[in-house]
Amino acid sequence: MFLGRDAMWVTLLISAPMLLSGMVVGLVISILQSVTQIQEFTLSFVPKIFVVMLTFVLFLPWMVDTMKAFVIPLFGNLHTMI
């Protein structure tokens, strides 16, 4: 039970920067589209992809450290879980 909870928490932590940045960019672009009345799908899609990829690159060291902090003790205690 604790392993599942911790796995979901680590997944939420690792995905949060990319999801939040995509949400913020989507909100800004949708406000811009409603103000200018330009309804173009690619206008919102391309900047979101770029920002999410940039966020992934910037937060990658932190995400790897967070994942290692979860996985190393998990593998160390693997014999107790079997």
Side-chain angles (χ1 to χ4, degrees), residues 17-67:
M18 292 175 290
L19 292 174
L20 290 175
S21 65
M23 185 179 68
V24 168
V25 169
L27 180 65
V28 168
I29 290 182
S30 68
I31 290 172
L32 177 71
Q33 282 181 332
S34 65
V35 167
T36 60
Q37 294 184 356
I38 298 173
Q39 300 300 324
E40 180 65 30
F41 176 71
T42 58
L43 186 64
S44 65
F45 188 69
V46 173
K48 274 195 247 183
I49 288 178
F50 179 72
V51 168
V52 168
M53 288 174 58
L54 181 66
T55 305
F56 177 74
V57 170
L58 291 175
F59 280 90
L60 186 62
W62 173 79
M63 293 183 335
V64 168
D65 289 341
T66 304
M67 184 65 83

Side-chain angles (χ1 to χ4, degrees), residues 2-3 6 68-82:
F2 295 112
L3 180 62
D6 290 344
K68 280 181 7 183
F70 174 71
V71 170
I72 290 174
L74 180 66
F75 285 161
N77 297 327
L78 191 61
H79 63 282
T80 61
M81 295 179 203
I82 294 178

